[in-house]
Amino acid sequence: MDNSSILSGAAPDTSRDSSGSAPGNRSLRVAENEKRRSERDPVRSALSFLSQVQDGTIVKGNDQLEKSLVVVETVALGRGLPPEAVSLLLDLALSLRAGSVNCGRILKFLIPASVVPQEAVVRGVSWLCVGRLPMNSQVLFLRWVLTVFDLIDFKDHLRAIYGFIFSFVTEENLAGFKNYNSTWKATLTAVQRKNRGDVTADLSLTTELKEKPASRKRKLHHLEVPALSSAFDTSAERKVFRLQEMRTFEELLQNIHNIELPAQMGSLLGSSLALHFLDCVQDESAFLRLNFWLGHSLQEEFLLCSADGGSDSPDEVARFLNTVLSSQQFLQEGFFSTESFLYKFLSVWDGSLLRTHILDLLSHIPLMPSHYIKILVFEPLMQLYFTSTVFFKCSVIECLNNMLVKWLTWHSVNALEEGLDISLNSNGTVTMTLSGFMDTVIELVRFVGRLASEGLRLENCHVLLLSQTLAFYETVCDMFVRYGLPLVIMPPAGVFYPALLATDSLSVDRLGYIMYRYRKNLTLAKKQEQQSEQTFHISRNTYQEFNQHLVAMVSCLWNSKSFLPGTGIEIDKQMLLQSKVSEHWSHFDLVHHPAFFKYAFEFHQKCWPARSSVDLASIKVGKYWNWYVEFLFSQGFDGLSDFIQVNTGHSSSSGSSSQGDGHQTNQER
Amino acid sequence: KKNMLDFFILGLFISPGSAVNTPVRRPVTRRSKSYGRSCVEPPSLFWQTPGHLTTLGHRIPTSRRAAKSHNITEKVDPEQVALLLDGEWKLSYVTPLFLFRHTQLKLYSKRLAAFIIAEKQQGVAVEVGLEAGFRVSFSAVLGMAETEEDAETISSRPVFGADGSKPVWQGWLTCVNGDPEYLRSLPPDFTSLPLFCSRGAESLSALVKSWFQRTFDCSFGALGLSSSTLHWLAALWTGCHPAAGIRYLKLGWTMPTQPPLDIEYSVDPQDAWELWNSVHKEDGADERISVDEVQSFINGLETHFFRHFKIYLSSGTLTKVSTALGSAHHHGKIKVITINSDYISTVLTLLTECALLKTPV
């Protein structure tokens, strides 16, 4: 028996804190850890003790036996027992080595954490045949077998000895039992549920064990993934492999041609191994079954809220949606029942119920013609957006960014395979041309542009909202280079200027990165256009918009000419005079910009530590300017650095150019 | 048109097998990353007519055929009609059944009986009678289907106790005049019988539903009747008055007051008919009723009530409609009186439509 596997994941590690506190020598620490470990692992020592109990051991007054049993019992009822421990304890109980009283006691707490080894059951039946067991222990054992039957890992050997089992069952004393599973059921359910959470979290390759479906159904539980089971139990003559018997990925691969679809397709969502299988299923009916089930579950829970159910606990609802989400993430596509549910739900959603789940699901919706997405998604979302808090606004922008990334990724994969025409469906029910696809993408980007501009205005350029917005444009600016979609859409002024004039340096830096990437995309587009490799055409307007933003940004940050005529953003002279800000044109250059002021100040102190009065203007003179720019770039403003180098010709190695010449802007034409 | 089995009553027997299996699929290549069937394009019920997007995104017909007295007993065994009509039924909707075969009803009877007994032995089902005297009978009610797309009605009656005793639970599945476009869109493995009516112990209903779910991979949900459905029923039944004699028209409302106020409104059948006649335009051969007419009829009734009691009934919830022809409750219960079975198909068409509109995809 492998003790380490029994104890894996047993007690949380509490000894990992000693590194800093105990300065003593290493061996002392090792000894200390050793001691702690044995204290921490009473289960290990208890099981090891129990495995050594011999026939004829005195039971009465045997304190150590009692103590060990208590330890194991606690673990069993709390977390369940690993297969090896189940094996060991079952043998101990039925051999009566620990006495007949303890036999019953052990059986009652024999709750498996995952599976029950078949061999343990077979050995148990052989103890039954020895005939030494008292009748009540026999009954208890058989009841236990029936309860955990679904958890027995393999059943091939067990089938061979069914005859024995049935001969016991037909005995009068054994036949009459009722409620055979009440002893273990509640604990088993709790333990299995707890363990299931861990399994789904890491998507490990095991067929996850389901609790037995609650058979006392006063209510219909919509939000319960059904257990894997076969349609009818008659396929014995045909060689098929059942998903519920599958344990490893290797088994899946070896039997992939021979796997039986389960009775309820929804059960596939409960196990990550089954999801691998689902990914290979090419059967429309099977997917339709899955979608009927899923659509029904979501509809009953969220839309109809019928008297039959709809009262599942929030935890259960969240768990269910997590299952759906992780399945969709695994398959890299959404189910169309989820999609159709979302369109209905968005119009009645309050924006707070299960917000993260709903928005995550929404980010999975596939591309659809632009007039549909306007009515189904944008309109209800817009209403919620403008009536909700800034955090909801951030979540919406983030969701739409994820949506766009998924569409673009999907496009970059499929466009390679199928050329320009995109067929959304292998059956051809929905086809979309490249221009249709672009229309929808344009619609989405413009929609986010509107949401972000208005949102930033309403929320006083909230830094989180600005950050989510810039994250979105980091996706948008790279659509051509990174995803092969020949489309360039510039951010609206309502997004660009709040970012340029932001008070935090990270936003300005990100804007620098975005403008740098726009330039890369436009350059590539122009190059391809000139080589007439592509038939698409980026409109002059887009170049103009880009140049306008570029001029504004370079004038502001580099040339100290903000708000002057011909710099993109022009403010009436009279108004500027009224503001009584002296030298207003230089207030957003890299030295005076509120986002970089702190760095300029620090630089000033380093250059002239003896100066008593700070004169930031002196940074702009001669070599100091170059040093300052170097200093800024060394602070991790890579986006800004790329932007400056590409657009002003400032090279980090050259020290020749100086501020004041009015650097020309390298515009795209 | 279809060779169907007649009515069966079967004894309980745990069957050894030879059943319909989920076919073993042979996936060989990886499915292309398509987004599957779209929910915004036909045949999905999601939209059929733009502009009629309700909360559930479904279309509501704006007109339907008036109740016509055609003698259903000519097509359907009268004994079976009596069975379907007698008493009050609880309504549910069902998603399409997978691999349901009309030719396997005998087998289903056995399996359902075995399933109920197995569950009961776990201390789940209600304590009823002796297991030995327990039977389930499945039957196909022939002739209920109105169009080629409709599947034949199925009824199921687990029977407890000795031969000839009263059934403890009854249920049936039907599809009358179901939306042909939707029904045609389903792959042939599916049978759409969207309307499920049951009566008897709730625990047995739950067991039967659970068996159907596991056997045919379908799902059940309660089918409530919206105010507009009840309006339609009130109008349809009132329209039958000259031919069948509705004797009374009773409407029940629950008003949103504290404490809630229940209002029962009884209308003289002749008055109701005259009101209906005044808003309904006879347009010759194909007699149809439009949603506007139904709305005017209900408005007329509500205005009359307001004139006397100064209560706006439209601010409350219509909960019940009843006439001598039948009654319907918004919780999803319906009663259709046997003697007037001629109108059943009109009612079933309406209910089938309600059930189909609840189909999630």
Side-chain angles (χ1 to χ4, degrees), chain A residues 215-216 231-232 234 240 257 265 279-283 285 289 296 299-300 331 333 336 344 410 425 430, chain B residues 20-22 24-31 33-34 36-37 56 93 98 111 123 189 217 219-220 358:
Chain A
S215 40
R216 183 179 290 273
F232 283 130
T234 53
V240 291
H257 294 275
M265 280 300 289
D279 203 24
C280 307
V281 172
Q282 286 179 316
D283 175 350
S285 296
R289 283 157 66 193
H296 169 266
Q299 166 176 300
E300 284 290 320
L331 297 172
E333 62 185 299
F336 76 91
K344 297 166 190 169
W410 181 83
N425 188 320
V430 183
Chain B
V20 190
N21 270 297
T22 309
V24 179
R25 303 288 166 179
R26 301 185 177 283
V28 277
T29 53
R30 191 179 157 82
R31 189 163 43 91
K33 284 292 164 200
S34 75
R37 199 172 140 116
L56 283 182
Y93 70 90
F98 180 65
R111 290 194 179 277
D189 290 341
D217 204 356
S219 309
F220 288 77
K358 290 269 166 75

Short mmCIF file of all heavy atoms in Angstrom, two decimals, chain A residues 215-216 231-232 234 240 257 265 279-283 285 289 296 299-300 331 333 336 344 410 425 430, chain B residues 20-22 24-31 33-34 36-37 56 93 98 111 123 189 217 219-220 358:
data_model
loop_
_atom_site.label_atom_id
_atom_site.label_comp_id
_atom_site.label_asym_id
_atom_site.label_seq_id
_atom_site.Cartn_x
_atom_site.Cartn_y
_atom_site.Cartn_z
N SER A 215 -32.79 10.96 -5.92
CA SER A 215 -33.95 10.31 -6.51
C SER A 215 -35.24 10.83 -5.90
O SER A 215 -36.30 10.74 -6.49
CB SER A 215 -33.86 8.81 -6.34
OG SER A 215 -33.35 8.53 -5.06
N ARG A 216 -35.14 11.41 -4.73
CA ARG A 216 -36.37 11.97 -4.17
C ARG A 216 -36.55 13.36 -4.77
O ARG A 216 -36.03 14.35 -4.30
CB ARG A 216 -36.26 12.06 -2.65
CG ARG A 216 -37.53 12.56 -1.98
CD ARG A 216 -37.35 12.61 -0.49
NE ARG A 216 -37.28 11.27 0.08
CZ ARG A 216 -38.37 10.58 0.44
NH1 ARG A 216 -39.55 11.10 0.30
NH2 ARG A 216 -38.24 9.39 0.93
N ALA A 231 -28.08 4.33 -22.65
CA ALA A 231 -29.47 4.44 -23.03
C ALA A 231 -30.30 3.29 -22.45
O ALA A 231 -31.17 3.49 -21.63
CB ALA A 231 -29.60 4.47 -24.54
N PHE A 232 -30.03 2.09 -22.89
CA PHE A 232 -30.64 0.94 -22.25
C PHE A 232 -29.52 -0.06 -22.02
O PHE A 232 -28.59 -0.15 -22.82
CB PHE A 232 -31.68 0.28 -23.16
CG PHE A 232 -32.97 1.03 -23.20
CD1 PHE A 232 -33.56 1.35 -24.42
CD2 PHE A 232 -33.61 1.41 -22.03
CE1 PHE A 232 -34.75 2.03 -24.46
CE2 PHE A 232 -34.79 2.09 -22.08
CZ PHE A 232 -35.38 2.40 -23.30
N THR A 234 -28.42 -2.85 -22.72
CA THR A 234 -28.55 -4.06 -23.52
C THR A 234 -27.43 -4.21 -24.54
O THR A 234 -27.51 -5.04 -25.42
CB THR A 234 -29.85 -4.03 -24.33
OG1 THR A 234 -29.88 -2.80 -25.04
CG2 THR A 234 -31.04 -4.16 -23.45
N VAL A 240 -19.06 -2.10 -27.13
CA VAL A 240 -19.00 -0.64 -27.09
C VAL A 240 -18.34 -0.22 -25.79
O VAL A 240 -18.31 -0.97 -24.83
CB VAL A 240 -20.40 0.02 -27.16
CG1 VAL A 240 -21.01 -0.18 -28.51
CG2 VAL A 240 -21.28 -0.49 -26.05
N HIS A 257 -13.45 5.18 -31.51
CA HIS A 257 -14.37 4.76 -32.58
C HIS A 257 -15.54 3.96 -32.04
O HIS A 257 -16.42 3.57 -32.78
CB HIS A 257 -13.62 3.93 -33.62
CG HIS A 257 -12.60 4.72 -34.34
ND1 HIS A 257 -12.90 5.48 -35.44
CD2 HIS A 257 -11.28 4.90 -34.10
CE1 HIS A 257 -11.80 6.09 -35.86
NE2 HIS A 257 -10.80 5.75 -35.06
N MET A 265 -27.46 13.60 -23.25
CA MET A 265 -26.27 14.29 -23.76
C MET A 265 -25.74 15.32 -22.77
O MET A 265 -24.55 15.60 -22.73
CB MET A 265 -26.58 14.98 -25.08
CG MET A 265 -26.57 14.07 -26.28
SD MET A 265 -25.01 13.24 -26.56
CE MET A 265 -23.99 14.62 -27.11
N ASP A 279 -15.94 16.88 -28.25
CA ASP A 279 -15.25 17.66 -29.27
C ASP A 279 -15.13 16.88 -30.58
O ASP A 279 -14.95 17.47 -31.63
CB ASP A 279 -13.85 18.03 -28.75
CG ASP A 279 -13.30 19.25 -29.45
OD1 ASP A 279 -14.10 20.04 -29.96
OD2 ASP A 279 -12.08 19.39 -29.50
N CYS A 280 -15.22 15.56 -30.48
CA CYS A 280 -15.08 14.73 -31.70
C CYS A 280 -16.43 14.30 -32.27
O CYS A 280 -16.49 13.75 -33.36
CB CYS A 280 -14.30 13.47 -31.39
SG CYS A 280 -12.75 13.76 -30.59
N VAL A 281 -17.50 14.52 -31.51
CA VAL A 281 -18.81 14.06 -31.98
C VAL A 281 -19.24 14.88 -33.19
O VAL A 281 -19.11 16.10 -33.20
CB VAL A 281 -19.85 14.20 -30.86
CG1 VAL A 281 -21.25 13.90 -31.38
CG2 VAL A 281 -19.51 13.27 -29.72
N GLN A 282 -19.72 14.19 -34.20
CA GLN A 282 -20.14 14.90 -35.42
C GLN A 282 -21.58 14.58 -35.73
O GLN A 282 -21.91 14.23 -36.84
CB GLN A 282 -19.28 14.46 -36.59
CG GLN A 282 -17.90 15.00 -36.56
CD GLN A 282 -17.11 14.50 -37.73
OE1 GLN A 282 -17.17 13.33 -38.07
NE2 GLN A 282 -16.40 15.39 -38.38
N ASP A 283 -22.42 14.65 -34.77
CA ASP A 283 -23.77 14.16 -34.95
C ASP A 283 -24.71 15.30 -34.58
O ASP A 283 -24.76 15.74 -33.45
CB ASP A 283 -23.95 12.96 -34.02
CG ASP A 283 -25.35 12.43 -34.02
OD1 ASP A 283 -26.23 13.09 -34.59
OD2 ASP A 283 -25.57 11.37 -33.45
N SER A 285 -27.89 15.43 -34.25
CA SER A 285 -28.89 15.07 -33.25
C SER A 285 -28.32 15.14 -31.84
O SER A 285 -28.98 15.59 -30.91
CB SER A 285 -29.40 13.65 -33.50
OG SER A 285 -30.06 13.59 -34.73
N ARG A 289 -29.74 17.48 -28.90
CA ARG A 289 -30.16 16.98 -27.59
C ARG A 289 -29.52 17.78 -26.48
O ARG A 289 -30.17 18.20 -25.52
CB ARG A 289 -29.77 15.51 -27.43
CG ARG A 289 -30.66 14.55 -28.17
CD ARG A 289 -29.93 13.24 -28.43
NE ARG A 289 -29.65 12.53 -27.19
CZ ARG A 289 -28.81 11.49 -27.10
NH1 ARG A 289 -28.18 11.06 -28.16
NH2 ARG A 289 -28.60 10.90 -25.95
N HIS A 296 -33.29 24.39 -22.03
CA HIS A 296 -34.38 24.19 -21.08
C HIS A 296 -33.94 24.55 -19.67
O HIS A 296 -34.64 25.25 -18.94
CB HIS A 296 -34.85 22.74 -21.15
CG HIS A 296 -35.78 22.36 -20.05
ND1 HIS A 296 -35.35 21.77 -18.88
CD2 HIS A 296 -37.12 22.49 -19.92
CE1 HIS A 296 -36.38 21.57 -18.10
NE2 HIS A 296 -37.47 21.99 -18.70
N GLN A 299 -33.52 28.35 -19.37
CA GLN A 299 -34.82 29.01 -19.51
C GLN A 299 -35.66 28.84 -18.25
O GLN A 299 -36.25 29.79 -17.75
CB GLN A 299 -35.52 28.42 -20.72
CG GLN A 299 -36.97 28.74 -20.83
CD GLN A 299 -37.55 28.19 -22.12
OE1 GLN A 299 -37.13 28.53 -23.20
NE2 GLN A 299 -38.51 27.30 -22.02
N GLU A 300 -35.70 27.60 -17.73
CA GLU A 300 -36.51 27.36 -16.54
C GLU A 300 -35.97 28.15 -15.35
O GLU A 300 -36.73 28.68 -14.55
CB GLU A 300 -36.53 25.87 -16.19
CG GLU A 300 -37.43 25.04 -17.09
CD GLU A 300 -38.92 25.33 -16.86
OE1 GLU A 300 -39.32 25.50 -15.69
OE2 GLU A 300 -39.66 25.38 -17.85
N LEU A 331 -14.29 23.80 -25.44
CA LEU A 331 -14.63 23.51 -26.84
C LEU A 331 -14.31 24.69 -27.75
O LEU A 331 -14.40 24.57 -28.97
CB LEU A 331 -16.11 23.18 -26.96
CG LEU A 331 -16.58 21.94 -26.21
CD1 LEU A 331 -18.10 21.83 -26.25
CD2 LEU A 331 -15.97 20.69 -26.82
N GLU A 333 -16.05 27.23 -28.32
CA GLU A 333 -17.21 27.81 -28.99
C GLU A 333 -18.41 27.75 -28.05
O GLU A 333 -18.44 26.95 -27.12
CB GLU A 333 -17.52 27.09 -30.30
CG GLU A 333 -17.88 25.64 -30.17
CD GLU A 333 -18.06 24.99 -31.54
OE1 GLU A 333 -18.93 25.44 -32.27
OE2 GLU A 333 -17.31 24.05 -31.85
N PHE A 336 -25.44 27.00 -28.97
CA PHE A 336 -26.41 27.97 -29.46
C PHE A 336 -27.62 28.11 -28.55
O PHE A 336 -28.34 29.08 -28.61
CB PHE A 336 -26.81 27.70 -30.93
CG PHE A 336 -27.74 26.55 -31.16
CD1 PHE A 336 -29.11 26.75 -31.17
CD2 PHE A 336 -27.26 25.29 -31.42
CE1 PHE A 336 -29.98 25.71 -31.41
CE2 PHE A 336 -28.11 24.23 -31.66
CZ PHE A 336 -29.48 24.44 -31.65
N LYS A 344 -32.52 36.45 -24.99
CA LYS A 344 -33.79 36.66 -24.30
C LYS A 344 -33.54 37.27 -22.93
O LYS A 344 -34.26 38.15 -22.48
CB LYS A 344 -34.52 35.33 -24.14
CG LYS A 344 -34.92 34.68 -25.44
CD LYS A 344 -35.33 33.24 -25.21
CE LYS A 344 -35.49 32.51 -26.53
NZ LYS A 344 -35.64 31.06 -26.31
N TRP A 410 -11.15 33.46 -34.30
CA TRP A 410 -11.93 32.53 -35.12
C TRP A 410 -11.73 32.86 -36.60
O TRP A 410 -11.51 31.97 -37.42
CB TRP A 410 -13.40 32.66 -34.73
CG TRP A 410 -14.28 31.75 -35.49
CD1 TRP A 410 -14.53 30.44 -35.21
CD2 TRP A 410 -15.04 32.08 -36.65
NE1 TRP A 410 -15.38 29.93 -36.14
CE2 TRP A 410 -15.72 30.91 -37.03
CE3 TRP A 410 -15.22 33.24 -37.41
CZ2 TRP A 410 -16.57 30.87 -38.14
CZ3 TRP A 410 -16.06 33.19 -38.50
CH2 TRP A 410 -16.72 32.02 -38.85
N ASN A 425 -21.38 27.74 -40.80
CA ASN A 425 -21.92 26.45 -40.46
C ASN A 425 -21.59 25.46 -41.56
O ASN A 425 -21.70 25.77 -42.73
CB ASN A 425 -23.45 26.59 -40.34
CG ASN A 425 -24.07 25.35 -39.80
OD1 ASN A 425 -23.67 24.24 -40.16
ND2 ASN A 425 -25.02 25.52 -38.93
N VAL A 430 -26.05 29.16 -42.16
CA VAL A 430 -25.67 30.56 -42.07
C VAL A 430 -24.37 30.74 -42.80
O VAL A 430 -23.39 30.08 -42.51
CB VAL A 430 -25.43 30.99 -40.61
CG1 VAL A 430 -25.10 32.47 -40.56
CG2 VAL A 430 -26.65 30.70 -39.78
N VAL B 20 -34.22 -0.39 -28.07
CA VAL B 20 -33.64 0.60 -28.98
C VAL B 20 -32.41 1.18 -28.30
O VAL B 20 -32.47 1.59 -27.16
CB VAL B 20 -34.62 1.77 -29.20
CG1 VAL B 20 -34.12 2.66 -30.32
CG2 VAL B 20 -36.00 1.25 -29.47
N ASN B 21 -31.34 1.19 -29.00
CA ASN B 21 -30.13 1.73 -28.41
C ASN B 21 -29.76 3.05 -29.04
O ASN B 21 -30.05 3.29 -30.19
CB ASN B 21 -28.97 0.79 -28.65
CG ASN B 21 -28.85 -0.20 -27.55
OD1 ASN B 21 -28.62 0.17 -26.41
ND2 ASN B 21 -29.08 -1.45 -27.86
N THR B 22 -29.06 3.85 -28.25
CA THR B 22 -28.44 5.00 -28.87
C THR B 22 -27.40 4.44 -29.83
O THR B 22 -26.57 3.65 -29.42
CB THR B 22 -27.71 5.85 -27.83
OG1 THR B 22 -28.61 6.11 -26.78
CG2 THR B 22 -27.22 7.12 -28.44
N VAL B 24 -24.22 3.64 -31.89
CA VAL B 24 -22.83 3.95 -31.63
C VAL B 24 -22.30 4.79 -32.78
O VAL B 24 -22.41 4.43 -33.93
CB VAL B 24 -22.02 2.65 -31.54
CG1 VAL B 24 -20.56 2.96 -31.30
CG2 VAL B 24 -22.58 1.78 -30.46
N ARG B 25 -21.77 5.95 -32.44
CA ARG B 25 -21.29 6.85 -33.48
C ARG B 25 -19.82 6.58 -33.70
O ARG B 25 -19.12 6.14 -32.82
CB ARG B 25 -21.49 8.30 -33.07
CG ARG B 25 -22.93 8.63 -32.75
CD ARG B 25 -23.75 8.66 -34.02
NE ARG B 25 -25.17 8.64 -33.66
CZ ARG B 25 -26.14 8.67 -34.55
NH1 ARG B 25 -25.87 8.72 -35.83
NH2 ARG B 25 -27.39 8.64 -34.16
N ARG B 26 -19.38 6.87 -34.87
CA ARG B 26 -17.97 6.64 -35.17
C ARG B 26 -17.30 7.94 -35.56
O ARG B 26 -17.09 8.21 -36.73
CB ARG B 26 -17.84 5.62 -36.29
CG ARG B 26 -18.49 4.33 -35.91
CD ARG B 26 -18.31 3.24 -36.91
NE ARG B 26 -18.92 2.03 -36.39
CZ ARG B 26 -18.35 1.28 -35.46
NH1 ARG B 26 -17.17 1.57 -35.02
NH2 ARG B 26 -18.98 0.22 -35.01
N PRO B 27 -16.95 8.72 -34.57
CA PRO B 27 -16.30 9.97 -34.90
C PRO B 27 -14.90 9.69 -35.40
O PRO B 27 -14.16 8.94 -34.77
CB PRO B 27 -16.24 10.72 -33.58
CG PRO B 27 -16.36 9.67 -32.54
CD PRO B 27 -17.03 8.48 -33.15
N VAL B 28 -14.55 10.18 -36.54
CA VAL B 28 -13.22 9.93 -37.05
C VAL B 28 -12.41 11.20 -37.18
O VAL B 28 -11.24 11.23 -36.87
CB VAL B 28 -13.24 9.19 -38.39
CG1 VAL B 28 -13.40 7.70 -38.15
CG2 VAL B 28 -14.34 9.71 -39.28
N THR B 29 -13.08 12.26 -37.64
CA THR B 29 -12.31 13.48 -37.79
C THR B 29 -12.79 14.50 -36.78
O THR B 29 -13.90 14.41 -36.27
CB THR B 29 -12.50 14.08 -39.19
OG1 THR B 29 -13.90 14.21 -39.41
CG2 THR B 29 -11.87 13.22 -40.24
N ARG B 30 -11.95 15.42 -36.53
CA ARG B 30 -12.30 16.48 -35.61
C ARG B 30 -13.35 17.39 -36.26
O ARG B 30 -13.23 17.74 -37.41
CB ARG B 30 -11.03 17.27 -35.33
CG ARG B 30 -11.13 18.22 -34.22
CD ARG B 30 -9.77 18.89 -34.08
NE ARG B 30 -9.92 20.16 -33.43
CZ ARG B 30 -10.01 20.30 -32.13
NH1 ARG B 30 -9.97 19.26 -31.35
NH2 ARG B 30 -10.16 21.50 -31.59
N ARG B 31 -14.36 17.70 -35.49
CA ARG B 31 -15.40 18.57 -35.98
C ARG B 31 -14.80 19.93 -36.30
O ARG B 31 -13.99 20.45 -35.56
CB ARG B 31 -16.44 18.74 -34.88
CG ARG B 31 -17.68 19.45 -35.28
CD ARG B 31 -18.73 19.14 -34.22
NE ARG B 31 -18.13 19.22 -32.88
CZ ARG B 31 -18.11 20.32 -32.17
NH1 ARG B 31 -18.62 21.42 -32.62
NH2 ARG B 31 -17.57 20.32 -30.97
N LYS B 33 -14.49 23.81 -36.52
CA LYS B 33 -14.94 24.75 -35.50
C LYS B 33 -16.05 25.64 -36.03
O LYS B 33 -15.85 26.82 -36.30
CB LYS B 33 -13.76 25.59 -35.02
CG LYS B 33 -12.85 24.83 -34.09
CD LYS B 33 -13.54 24.53 -32.79
CE LYS B 33 -12.80 23.46 -32.01
NZ LYS B 33 -13.66 22.83 -31.02
N SER B 34 -17.16 25.06 -36.24
CA SER B 34 -18.29 25.88 -36.68
C SER B 34 -19.07 26.28 -35.46
O SER B 34 -18.93 25.70 -34.40
CB SER B 34 -19.19 25.09 -37.61
OG SER B 34 -19.94 24.16 -36.86
N GLY B 36 -22.19 25.90 -35.28
CA GLY B 36 -23.39 25.08 -35.20
C GLY B 36 -24.61 25.80 -35.72
O GLY B 36 -24.53 26.82 -36.36
N ARG B 37 -25.73 25.19 -35.45
CA ARG B 37 -27.00 25.73 -35.87
C ARG B 37 -27.19 27.11 -35.29
O ARG B 37 -26.96 27.32 -34.12
CB ARG B 37 -28.02 24.77 -35.29
CG ARG B 37 -29.38 24.76 -35.85
CD ARG B 37 -30.05 23.58 -35.16
NE ARG B 37 -31.41 23.88 -34.82
CZ ARG B 37 -32.43 23.23 -35.35
NH1 ARG B 37 -32.23 22.27 -36.21
NH2 ARG B 37 -33.65 23.53 -34.98
N LEU B 56 -39.70 36.23 -24.46
CA LEU B 56 -39.10 34.96 -24.83
C LEU B 56 -38.73 34.94 -26.30
O LEU B 56 -38.28 33.94 -26.81
CB LEU B 56 -40.05 33.82 -24.52
CG LEU B 56 -40.10 33.46 -23.04
CD1 LEU B 56 -41.01 32.29 -22.81
CD2 LEU B 56 -38.71 33.14 -22.54
N TYR B 93 -44.84 21.43 -20.87
CA TYR B 93 -44.27 21.34 -22.21
C TYR B 93 -43.11 20.36 -22.17
O TYR B 93 -42.50 20.15 -21.13
CB TYR B 93 -43.82 22.71 -22.72
CG TYR B 93 -42.60 23.29 -22.04
CD1 TYR B 93 -41.33 23.03 -22.53
CD2 TYR B 93 -42.71 24.09 -20.91
CE1 TYR B 93 -40.20 23.55 -21.92
CE2 TYR B 93 -41.60 24.62 -20.29
CZ TYR B 93 -40.34 24.34 -20.80
OH TYR B 93 -39.23 24.85 -20.18
N PHE B 98 -36.13 12.00 -28.19
CA PHE B 98 -35.11 11.43 -29.05
C PHE B 98 -35.30 9.91 -29.13
O PHE B 98 -35.45 9.25 -28.11
CB PHE B 98 -33.73 11.76 -28.49
CG PHE B 98 -32.59 11.20 -29.30
CD1 PHE B 98 -32.36 11.65 -30.59
CD2 PHE B 98 -31.77 10.22 -28.77
CE1 PHE B 98 -31.32 11.14 -31.34
CE2 PHE B 98 -30.72 9.71 -29.52
CZ PHE B 98 -30.50 10.16 -30.81
N ARG B 111 -40.90 -0.94 -19.38
CA ARG B 111 -39.74 -0.25 -18.79
C ARG B 111 -40.18 0.81 -17.79
O ARG B 111 -39.58 0.96 -16.73
CB ARG B 111 -38.91 0.41 -19.89
CG ARG B 111 -38.21 -0.60 -20.74
CD ARG B 111 -37.14 0.05 -21.59
NE ARG B 111 -36.46 -0.96 -22.37
CZ ARG B 111 -35.47 -1.69 -21.90
NH1 ARG B 111 -35.07 -1.51 -20.66
NH2 ARG B 111 -34.91 -2.60 -22.66
N GLY B 123 -37.79 3.64 -1.61
CA GLY B 123 -38.54 4.45 -0.66
C GLY B 123 -38.85 5.81 -1.21
O GLY B 123 -38.93 6.78 -0.49
N ASP B 189 -34.60 11.68 -36.08
CA ASP B 189 -34.50 10.96 -34.80
C ASP B 189 -35.42 11.54 -33.73
O ASP B 189 -35.59 10.95 -32.67
CB ASP B 189 -33.06 11.06 -34.27
CG ASP B 189 -32.10 10.26 -35.10
OD1 ASP B 189 -32.57 9.37 -35.83
OD2 ASP B 189 -30.89 10.53 -35.02
N ASP B 217 -34.13 11.53 -23.53
CA ASP B 217 -33.30 12.74 -23.42
C ASP B 217 -34.11 14.02 -23.68
O ASP B 217 -33.70 14.87 -24.46
CB ASP B 217 -32.11 12.66 -24.38
CG ASP B 217 -30.94 13.54 -23.90
OD1 ASP B 217 -31.12 14.24 -22.89
OD2 ASP B 217 -29.88 13.52 -24.54
N SER B 219 -36.79 17.18 -21.85
CA SER B 219 -36.97 17.91 -20.60
C SER B 219 -38.40 18.41 -20.48
O SER B 219 -39.04 18.73 -21.49
CB SER B 219 -36.02 19.11 -20.55
OG SER B 219 -34.72 18.72 -20.83
N PHE B 220 -38.87 18.46 -19.26
CA PHE B 220 -40.24 18.92 -19.01
C PHE B 220 -40.22 20.24 -18.26
O PHE B 220 -39.36 20.47 -17.42
CB PHE B 220 -40.97 17.91 -18.11
CG PHE B 220 -41.32 16.62 -18.79
CD1 PHE B 220 -40.35 15.65 -19.00
CD2 PHE B 220 -42.61 16.36 -19.21
CE1 PHE B 220 -40.66 14.46 -19.62
CE2 PHE B 220 -42.94 15.17 -19.83
CZ PHE B 220 -41.96 14.21 -20.03
N LYS B 358 -42.56 27.40 -25.90
CA LYS B 358 -41.67 27.26 -24.74
C LYS B 358 -40.44 26.42 -25.06
O LYS B 358 -39.54 26.33 -24.26
CB LYS B 358 -42.43 26.61 -23.58
CG LYS B 358 -43.49 27.49 -22.96
CD LYS B 358 -42.91 28.30 -21.81
CE LYS B 358 -43.81 29.43 -21.39
NZ LYS B 358 -44.96 29.00 -20.62
#
